[in-house]
Amino acid sequence: MFTTRPTLQGTHGMAASTHWLASATAMAVLEDDGNAFDAAVAAGFVLHVVEPHLNGPAGEVPIIFAPAGGEPVVLCGQGPAPAGATIEHYRGLGLDLVPGTGPLASAVPGAFDAWLLLLRDHGTKELAELLKYAIGYAAGGYPAVARIGQTIEVVQELFETEWHSSAQLYLPDGKPPAPGALLRNPALAETWRRVLAEATGPSREARIDAARRVWREGFIAEELAGAAAQSTMDSSGERHAGTLTGEDIAAFTASYEQPVSYQRDGWTVCKAGLWSQGPVLLQQLALLPDELDPASPEYLHTLIEGTKLAMADREAWYGDRTEVTIAELLDPGYNAKRRALIGEEASRELRPGHPGGRAPQLSEHAHRVRSGPLELTAPAGSGEPTVARTGETRGDTCHVDVVDRWGNMIAATPSGGWLHSNPVIPALGFPLGTRLQMAWLDPGLPNSLSPGKRPRTTLSPSLALRGGEPVLAFGTPGGDQQDQWSTHFFLAVTQRDRVRGGYDLQGAIDAPNWHTESFPGSFYPRAMKAGAVTVESRIGSSTIDELRRRGHDVTVGEPWSEGRLSAVARDPETGLLSAAANPRGMQGYAAGR
């Protein structure tokens, strides 16, 4: 079967990501006898440099991994709300939503500590050996992808009139960088050099912990807290200071936890818990009947309707402090009742369930957008951030997967701290993040804003087992679309014939994809388009016609516009490794041998 590229196969190591330089970096570490975790850390820091419109050091990263011979583990690099981030404070400013940009939207940064905790406990390399790649690109320059310039162009006026430090870095010669233009970030390179210089200790582990302290308690924490205290123009159209303090930064450490999982057709899919969007993928699998023909329009209709039901549960029940358990949401009886709601016609309602007999509670904003149109949405199938003069954004991210010859496997989805989230901090070379925009300002909800509570994130890496053995790591950027695109990819992997003794990863990535927006979005201004579904034109006119006949509001996107997945796999019987990456956007690549 024709694919845009081959599924790569080998036995030494495989890496795949949303940017070829990150994949090449990961492979360089594997060639230098690093393991998958070393490689992922190095790639993660390179992504901060080469995809600054999609992630940054002050963002966050959920990671799911399986050490060779061990069980899957989730590493949470999602920071919580600061101590001063109360609903009363935001309401007192006249706000009914957390702004999509500016320091008021800043959670405690979590990515740096998560990457270093992974390196300390599961890697083998010194931090200096891995940071050298990011330092090299930041100091020497990297070629700008087209999306960087396009993003900067949309917020150029904001940079020039308000966020002057961002203009100095990202508007060289007074205009956005052209595709392929060499961009440098000397301040970021110097930040990492200073971290390494100050992170001393008698052992590799001690030096890594010292670097974590430099971030939490040293010059970086001081600069981050200072930036948060600055009154800054945000997406509300007004200037606000944030609530993040040095004490908040010092108190945070990344943490390990058990994944949640669901079994289907001999596979076990593992995700982060209900503080993330991850269980949406599991709920979609639980809602899908067994008897449908995967090639039929009815199958696609059923998938779309199941997605709406899972996303409705996300709105009502997901959060860092929720009384609902994943066992209740995946209970066969509960899902049988939910599945019965899927009819012949497309639903335009937001229909959360009643797990354990509980009555669902939604934010007032969710009630408003589901009863009337609120139409700020991204271009069809883009999956990229959309930004306005005030910097408001739907958000997007990066992804990296690595597997090594010993059987270590990892999937990570770094995000936040985008160049259009907050002004660049001159002394550091990167801005604060904006993940708090995902929390509601209504009290009493699972995802209500509250000090010390993680905002529910869309970031959602995946790991799948077969016969109890980890065999597949995958993920994608895309905000609310992540677990829609990932579900379709996973089902395509399990339904496609194997290639050369391994899974047809590239064929599953290349398969036509789709997404729906028939639920409140996670990013400011939290829009919903009831009944809307966007499909790649390659899905075919007969399927599109049938979806429309069933009442779906179908937008036909470009042939290659939906999904930006990457994946790696390992056959535990033969040791054969595989990798593939998304051709859409002409940016993601896999590498391996």
Side-chain angles (χ1 to χ4, degrees), residues 472-475 484-496 504-510 513 565-568 580:
L472 178 64
F474 60 99
Q484 302 184 59
W485 292 338
S486 290
T487 299
H488 198 197
F489 162 80
F490 174 74
L491 290 170
V493 168
T494 63
Q495 293 161 358
R496 297 177 75 89
D504 186 8
L505 302 183
Q506 195 64 53
I509 288 173
D510 289 355
N513 218 319
L565 284 135
S566 61
V568 298

Side-chain angles (χ1 to χ4, degrees), residues 280 283-284 287 306-314 318 338:
V280 162
Q283 286 196 260
Q284 289 175 94
L287 286 165
T307 298
K308 294 176 186 178
L309 294 173
M311 286 295 195
D313 273 355
R314 184 195 75 167
Y318 287 25
R338 299 288 280 159

Side-chain angles (χ1 to χ4, degrees), residues 372-398:
L374 182 52
E375 302 289 341
L376 180 58
T377 57
S382 69
E384 289 284 355
T386 55
V387 289
R389 181 190 176 279
T390 51
E392 63 199 42
T393 170
R394 288 167 58 90
D396 209 357
T397 181
C398 313

Side-chain angles (χ1 to χ4, degrees), residues 25-60:
T25 295
M27 198 61 210
V29 174
L30 293 175
E31 295 286 9
D32 194 33
D33 287 330
N35 67 16
F37 310 124
D38 296 316
V41 170
F45 280 101
V46 166
L47 287 171
H48 291 160
V49 179
V50 302
E51 291 195 314
H53 59 311
L54 303 179
N55 78 138
E60 44 276 327

Side-chain angles (χ1 to χ4, degrees), residues 103-104 106 223-232 240-245 425 432:
L104 269 182
S106 298
E223 292 289 345
L224 293 172
Q230 297 294 315
S231 184
T232 302
H240 296 108
T243 62
L244 182 69
T245 67
I425 303 168
L432 289 165

